[in-house]
Each structure stands twice: as structure tokens, then as C-alpha cells.
């Protein structure tokens, strides 16, 4: 027991034990199931045969836009070339029984489209989305025309050496159409042909490091700012996040919210005059979240929720395993951030909810992997 009196051994041992206990508590908290999981999905109908409607956003005239990836899990596992092509759809939220309508993109320069996060600007009538096209991941910029019918037209592809392959997640428009912010959720690029097809020792080592990031939770990811006039992207935040994911922004474009799903929290950042995002506070949540969307009409933030990470883990082993989730809202009351559940689905029709939106009595849910969207009518 001489090591107990040897400070050169004792102090590092105590520090290591402290780190292990801390990380163990983190994993315990992450895997704790949301205790208020009450399903109210009896009026939900699955619509559409597309896969991976991971994100959605409400445009003008009650038009809900959403993109599909063909299934993000397959895209990341086997590469986008081995994944069915995605695309864009719209839903008229005012209709009594809305049906998805596919939208063509005029002048689209790529053969491949695998949509991840999207953002619709009702200020500039632009639609931005993350596209994983295989060799690289890009940001695509589209113009929305609403009359006489909804039309999407491609304006620009944004590329950057800072974007890891399959490693950028979501985005928002900044103060105007010349500025966007992009979240990076992966520390390393994934292999072009997917993580099931690792070949070199270095690729396998990186995959192990990626697993270590998930287990131990170092904050190594961040948000980028892209100047679309100069065609330059650079870091716009500190490395605050284990996995910077869904993003949204206040109507005045001064307050930015970034989800860190497995940490069950949202980072609130303030835009500085030079475009830097200065961290202000963490908003802790009782469940995991994926995509988030500021709702100007209420001042609330819509949350696509992941209340049970155990089920999400089991789905990696059995793709038919149901993963519950739904739509909740985040709001500020008496200086405190609070949540309220709007709709909770048991995951039998649409497994693993990544995004949700609402208009009137209609709630729509999307998933990164499953087929279709869930359209629900609330009483």
C-alpha cells in the first residue's frame, strides 16, 4: 500500500478515478428514460414512402418544407452512393387531410441529394440544407417562389475544407442572406463508403476515437460561420459541444440555440458584431433532443425529442425496434426555461423522432431513418 503515501502516484490516481466517476454519472444521466412519457398519438397517420425526413421547417402560407436523405443510418453506414436518393417535399398544413407533395429543384447541379438539416428563411425566401453527396458534405442554397405555385430554384453550393464528410448537421441564416451558421456534429470525417467499410488501420482507429467521444463526452465540436460573398467559412464558436446538432435562431438573428442531444441540453449563444457567437448559458432538458425550431408566433422553441436512448441503442441492433419520441416546446417563464410536451409517439409507426412542427391542430413528426412522416390531429 506504499502507493497511498506516494503523491506522484496518488494524485493522478485520484484524478483518474474522479474523471471515471464523472463520466459514469454522465452516461447514467444520458441513459435515464424521460419519466413523463405519456403517449397521445391515437390520431396520427403515417404518410409518404420516402425515407429519412430528418428535419422540417414552416415557410409562408402554411407550407411545411421537409427533405429526405434516403435514410441517414444507411448513408453513414454504407455511404450515400449505396443509399436511395432523397429529395424535397411540402405539406399544406391548412388542408384538412394534408398529403406530401414532392418538389423539383430547378437547376440543381448534383445527381445525388441526401438531406440532413434544413432551414427556411421567411425573411429572404431562401431554403438552406445540408447535403451529404459522398465525397463531400455541402450546404445548398435554394430560392423559394410561392406563387403561382411553390417552386424551388438552386442558387449556390457552399463547400469548405472545414466540413468533415458526413460531419455537418444543421444550419441557420444569419443577419442576412450572405451569412449562414453551420453546426459540426462529428469530430472526424466518415469514410466515403460508410463506417461499415473501414479499410485502413487509421480509419479503424478514428472510428474507435469517435466511439470514445460518445462514451466520455469531450467537447470537441462547434459552429462555423460562412460568408457567402467571400465564399469563406471559419469557426464562429468555441468547442462547446460533444455533438453540435440542431440549430435555430431568434427572429432578430441575435440569439442562437444549438442542441447537444446526448448531453440533453441546448447552448444559448449571442451574436457579436464580428459574427462570433459568444456563449451565454446552457439550457438543461429532461430528455434528449435533435432538431429545434424557433416559432415566432409564440416565442417558443419546437423540440424533436428523444426520451429513451435505450430504445435508440436497441434499434441499431434491430431496425424494427420502436423508438419513442415526439414534439415538445421550450419556453421562458419568470426567467426560467421550461418544457411542455405537445405530442408523444410510441415509435410503432415512425421510429426515432428527430423533428416536429405544428400549425393549428396539425402536428407533423419526422425521423432520420424511418419511412414517411407522421401527421397528427390534436383534439
Amino acid at each position: 500500500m506504499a502507493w497511498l503515501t506516494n503523491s506522484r502516484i496518488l494524485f493522478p490516481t485520484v484524478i483518474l478515478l474522479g474523471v471515471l466517476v464523472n463520466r459514469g454519472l454522465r452516461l447514467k444521466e444520458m441513459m435515464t428514460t424521460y419519466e413523463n412519457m405519456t403517449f397521445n398519438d391515437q390520431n396520427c397517420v403515417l404518410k409518404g414512402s420516402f425515407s429519412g425526413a430528418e428535419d422540417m421547417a414552416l415557410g409562408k402560407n402554411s407550407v411545411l418544407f421537409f427533405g429526405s436523405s434516403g435514410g441517414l443510418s444507411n448513408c453513414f453506414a454504407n455511404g450515400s452512393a449505396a443509399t436511395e436518393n432523397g429529395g424535397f417535399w411540402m405539406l399544406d398544413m391548412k388542408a384538412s387531410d394534408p398529403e406530401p407533395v414532392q418538389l423539383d429543384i430547378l437547376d440543381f447541379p448534383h445527381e445525388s441529394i441526401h438531406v440532413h438539416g434544413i432551414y427556411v428563411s421567411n425573411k429572404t425566401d431562401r431554403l438552406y440544407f445540408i447535403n451529404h453527396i459522398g465525397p463531400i458534405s455541402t450546404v445548398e442554397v435554394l430560392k423559394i417562389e410561392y406563387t403561382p405555385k411553390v417552386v424551388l430554384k438552386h442558387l449556390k453550393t457552399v463547400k469548405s475544407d472545414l466540413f468533415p464528410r458526413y460531419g455537418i448537421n444543421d444550419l441557420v441564416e444569419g443577419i442576412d442572406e450572405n451569412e449562414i451558421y453551420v453546426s459540426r456534429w462529428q469530430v472526424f470525417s466518415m469514410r466515403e463508403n460508410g463506417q461499415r467499410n473501414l479499410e485502413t488501420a487509421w480509419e479503424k482507429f478514428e472510428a474507435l476515437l469517435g466511439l470514445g467521444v460518445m462514451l466520455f463526452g469531450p467537447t470537441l465540436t462547434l459552429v462555423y460561420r460562412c460568408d457567402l460573398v467571400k465564399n469563406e467559412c471559419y469557426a464562429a464558436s468555441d468547442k462547446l459541444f460533444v455533438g453540435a446538432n440542431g440549430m435555430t435562431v431568434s427572429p432578430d438573428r441575435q440569439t442562437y440555440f444549438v442542441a447537444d442531444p446526448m448531453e440533453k441540453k441546448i447552448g444559448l449563444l449571442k451574436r457579436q458584431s464580428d459574427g462570433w457567437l459568444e456563449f451565454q448559458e446552457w439550457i438543461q432538458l429532461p430528455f434528449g433532443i435533435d432538431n429545434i425550431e424557433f416559432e415566432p408566433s409564440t416565442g417558443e422553441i419546437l423540440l424533436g425529442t428523444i426520451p429513451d436512448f435505450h430504445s435508440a441503442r436497441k434499434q441499431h441492433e434491430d431496425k424494427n425496434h420502436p423508438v419513442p419520441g415526439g414534439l415538445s416546446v421550450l419556453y421562458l417563464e419568470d426567467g426560467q426555461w421550461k418544457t411542455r410536451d405537445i405530442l408523444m409517439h410510441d415509435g410503432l409507426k415512425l421510429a426515432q423522432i428527430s423533428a416536429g412542427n405544428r400549425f393549428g391542430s396539425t402536428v407533423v413528426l419526422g425521423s432520420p431513418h424511418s419511412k414517411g412522416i407522421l401527421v397528427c390531429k390534436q383534439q
Side-chain angles (χ1 to χ4, degrees):
M1 302 295 286
W3 66 273
L4 287 173
T5 59
N6 188 332
S7 61
R8 288 182 298 177
I9 299 175
L10 179 60
F11 291 163
T13 301
V14 170
I15 292 172
L16 178 60
L17 287 174
V19 170
L20 291 175
V21 169
N22 179 271
R23 295 300 84 186
L25 292 172
R26 169 188 171 269
L27 286 174
K28 181 178 181 294
E29 171 60 28
M30 181 179 73
M31 299 305 290
T32 299
T33 301
Y34 178 48
E35 61 182 14
N36 297 324
M37 207 163 27
T38 302
F39 303 126
N40 57 340
D41 54 358
Q42 60 271 17
N43 295 319
C44 294
V45 178
L46 188 65
K47 299 194 175 191
S49 59
F50 42 81
S51 296
E54 198 267 351
D55 200 5
M56 56 187 64
L58 191 65
K60 294 179 177 177
N61 305 331
S62 70
V63 174
L64 183 72
F65 294 95
F66 56 93
S68 73
S69 62
L72 284 177
S73 58
N74 191 67
C75 202
F76 300 151
N78 299 302
S80 60
T83 304
E84 66 180 69
N85 238 9
F88 265 94
W89 278 260
M90 59 166 278
L91 199 73
D92 183 358
M93 297 285 274
K94 288 189 299 186
S96 58
D97 186 22
E99 292 288 340
V101 176
Q102 187 166 11
L103 299 169
D104 293 327
I105 304 176
L106 301 179
D107 301 329
F108 193 65
H110 312 294
E111 294 183 3
S112 179
I113 178 170
H114 301 280
V115 183
H116 202 155
I118 78 168
Y119 180 79
V120 170
S121 171
N122 292 321
K123 177 181 177 182
T124 62
D125 288 340
R126 292 194 175 194
L127 189 159
Y128 305 83
F129 71 94
I130 304 296
N131 192 18
H132 301 303
I133 57 178
I136 59 173
S137 292
T138 64
V139 171
E140 306 295 339
V141 184
L142 312 180
K143 180 68 176 177
I144 307 171
E145 295 179 3
Y146 287 96
T147 56
K149 65 176 183 178
V150 177
V151 174
L152 301 178
K153 183 176 181 179
H154 188 267
L155 297 179
K156 187 181 185 69
T157 295
V158 182
K159 303 177 183 179
S160 174
D161 291 338
L162 295 173
F163 296 167
R165 186 189 303 115
Y166 303 121
I168 51 175
N169 189 294
D170 202 10
L171 72 171
V172 295
E173 186 180 74
I175 54 173
D176 57 30
E177 68 274 15
N178 297 317
E179 176 185 76
I180 59 172
Y181 290 92
V182 181
S183 63
R184 173 175 179 163
W185 72 298
Q186 290 290 313
V187 177
F188 306 107
S189 284
M190 299 185 201
R191 197 174 190 282
E192 182 176 345
N193 294 327
Q195 297 300 87
R196 286 183 184 165
N197 299 295
L198 303 175
E199 293 182 351
T200 68
W202 178 250
E203 289 171 348
K204 295 174 182 178
F205 179 65
E206 279 192 338
L208 286 174
L209 288 177
L211 179 62
V213 169
M214 183 185 72
L215 292 175
F216 292 100
T219 55
L220 299 174
T221 67
L222 69 163
V223 175
Y224 296 119
R225 177 181 182 264
C226 296
D227 184 321
L228 302 192
V229 175
K230 297 180 180 179
N231 293 317
E232 294 177 351
C233 299
Y234 44 86
S237 78
D238 291 321
K239 291 181 179 179
L240 301 166
F241 310 95
V242 176
N245 199 290
M247 295 185 67
T248 193
V249 61
S250 60
D252 63 3
R253 309 294 177 89
Q254 295 302 307
T255 305
Y256 294 74
F257 302 85
V258 184
D260 205 344
M262 300 186 76
E263 303 304 293
K264 299 182 180 178
K265 62 186 182 182
I266 293 173
L268 187 155
L269 302 95
K270 288 287 188 179
R271 187 186 186 280
Q272 307 302 299
S273 59
D274 60 357
W276 177 259
L277 300 182
E278 189 69 30
F279 174 76
Q280 300 293 307
E281 64 172 314
W282 289 114
I283 304 170
Q284 198 66 49
L285 303 170
F287 38 62
I289 68 295
D290 196 331
N291 287 300
I292 58 180
E293 187 80 11
F294 197 98
E295 188 176 54
S297 61
T298 63
E300 297 176 335
I301 297 176
L302 307 176
L303 311 171
T305 65
I306 312 169
D308 183 6
F309 279 112
H310 283 289
S311 294
R313 180 184 59 80
K314 290 177 182 177
Q315 194 192 41
H316 285 286
E317 303 166 2
D318 176 9
K319 65 178 182 180
N320 295 316
H321 188 83
V323 183
L327 175 66
S328 297
V329 295
L330 175 69
Y331 61 99
L332 192 61
E333 182 178 87
D334 299 327
Q336 298 293 319
W337 289 101
K338 300 180 179 181
T339 62
R340 181 175 70 254
D341 298 333
I342 302 301
L343 192 138
M344 186 68 70
H345 175 51
D346 59 14
L348 292 173
K349 295 178 180 177
L350 190 75
Q352 190 172 335
I353 304 307
S354 55
N357 218 299
R358 63 182 179 179
F359 185 89
S361 62
T362 301
V363 172
V364 181
L365 303 177
S367 165
H369 318 301
S370 301
K371 283 189 176 293
I373 54 171
L374 205 61
V375 180
C376 308
K377 291 293 184 179
Q378 293 191 295
Q379 300 296 325

